[in-house]
Amino acid sequence: AQTVTQSQPEMSVQEAETVTLSCTYDTSENNYYLFWYKQPPSRQMILVIRQEAYKQQNATENRFSVNFQKAAKSFSLKISDSQLGDTAMYFCAFMKRGGATNKLIFGTGTLLAVQP
Amino acid sequence: NAGVTQTPKFRILKIGQSMTLQCTQDMNHNYMYWYRQDPGMGLKLIYYSVGAGITDKGEVPNGYNVSRSTTEDFPLRLELAAPSQTSVYFCASSYFGTSATGNYGYTFGSGTRLTVV
């Protein structure tokens, strides 16, 4: 069974600085997706970034980038130039690619506070 | 394009009462899901469906039932509410085919905060 671990329950960063959120996972699968979701106080689940395991290049979306280390089963999220609107809970998630269900396995989340 | 619509957004139930959380999507996705989110626990899968007429249990199905009579609708039924079912519930749908339409991936509803007292 797959598991996703986020070892940082809470983090804080000053506005305009850079912060990295950690995520590790355990799987015997070779073909899968990894995701970072943002959940602001509005409760909405917002996709931040997606990485396909067969792609060696790390995914980037504007100020958000990942460091995907497949052999180490590590998938960290870097937020550059942090903004107050980045304050949210962040979830790392795993999905087996090509499976019968497309179900997501979530980590327990990291609460990020961006300080002015 | 409304995406995934969940109702209600908030609900308070008394122990032993029943209710149905409604979920509908307009993206013609075959795959739909119900997750619950408890503090410090992430999201756990309750039930899922891979198409109309097909449902199956996830990690935490006890105390819940689902049905999928149409592609669009996937209601979640709580028969005898218990305090342990106090949680935030998310409905979602997914599509991971080869289309480049932009509906590639997961779409979540806005959630239902349920309190059982």
Side-chain angles (χ1 to χ4, degrees), chain B residues 63-92:
Chain B
Y64 308 94
N65 278 300
V66 294
S67 60
R68 185 93 181 272
S69 57
T70 66
T71 298
E72 294 77 21
D73 300 310
F74 189 43
L76 178 71
R77 179 80 178 165
L78 283 72
E79 289 295 348
L80 292 170
S84 61
Q85 293 176 305
T86 293
S87 189
V88 177
Y89 292 84
F90 287 96
C91 180

Side-chain angles (χ1 to χ4, degrees), chain A:
Chain A
Q2 292 84 15
T3 59
V4 177
T5 301
Q6 294 179 250
S7 58
Q8 305 154 315
E10 297 183 18
M11 294 192 72
S12 181
V13 64
Q14 292 296 123
E15 197 174 6
E17 295 190 344
T18 295
V19 64
T20 299
L21 279 56
S22 300
C23 173
T24 58
Y25 59 96
D26 188 25
T27 185
S28 58
E29 301 291 338
N30 190 51
N31 203 0
Y32 50 87
Y33 294 98
L34 293 164
F35 305 86
W36 279 99
Y37 281 92
K38 171 185 177 181
Q39 187 181 45
S42 67
R43 208 168 61 207
Q44 185 69 40
M45 293 291 286
I46 301 166
L47 177 65
V48 175
I49 202 163
R50 175 178 65 208
Q51 176 78 41
E52 296 167 351
Y54 71 89
K55 291 185 177 179
Q56 293 185 338
Q57 186 173 5
N58 289 326
T60 63
E61 288 287 342
N62 301 313
R63 298 183 293 108
F64 299 87
S65 61
V66 297
N67 183 4
F68 173 48
Q69 301 291 326
K70 190 173 183 179
K73 297 180 182 175
S74 171
F75 184 60
S76 61
L77 175 69
K78 185 172 81 171
I79 305 174
S80 304
D81 185 25
S82 297
Q83 300 176 359
L84 296 178
D86 295 335
T87 292
M89 181 72 83
Y90 287 83
F91 291 99
C92 179
F94 169 99
M95 193 195 86
K96 176 183 173 182
R97 187 177 182 186
T101 67
N102 290 348
K103 57 186 177 183
L104 287 169
I105 309 296
F106 286 89
T108 52
T110 296
L111 182 61
L112 176 67
V114 179
Q115 307 292 344

Side-chain angles (χ1 to χ4, degrees), chain B residues 2-114:
Chain B
V4 176
T5 302
Q6 274 184 252
T7 56
K9 294 191 183 304
F10 303 92
R11 183 72 186 268
I12 298 174
L13 277 182
K14 293 184 178 179
I15 294 171
Q17 286 186 322
S18 300
M19 76 164 295
T20 299
L21 279 65
Q22 301 292 344
C23 176
T24 187
Q25 53 97 1
D26 61 359
M27 297 168 288
N28 203 34
H29 288 172
N30 283 327
Y31 294 81
M32 296 188 74
Y33 314 83
W34 277 103
Y35 290 88
R36 61 176 286 173
Q37 180 182 10
D38 299 315
M41 298 295 291
L43 280 73
K44 300 286 188 184
L45 183 64
I46 306 171
Y47 269 95
Y48 66 95
S49 170
V50 299
I54 306 170
T55 63
D56 207 348
K57 297 177 180 178
E59 295 178 80
V60 289
N62 291 342
Y64 308 94
N65 278 300
V66 294
S67 60
R68 185 93 181 272
S69 57
T70 66
T71 298
E72 294 77 21
D73 300 310
F74 189 43
L76 178 71
R77 179 80 178 165
L78 283 72
E79 289 295 348
L80 292 170
S84 61
Q85 293 176 305
T86 293
S87 189
V88 177
Y89 292 84
F90 287 96
C91 180
S93 69
S94 77
Y95 175 69
F96 282 86
T98 57
S99 169
T101 63
N103 282 336
Y104 186 92
Y106 256 74
T107 302
F108 284 87
S110 56
T112 298
R113 180 175 292 280
L114 175 67

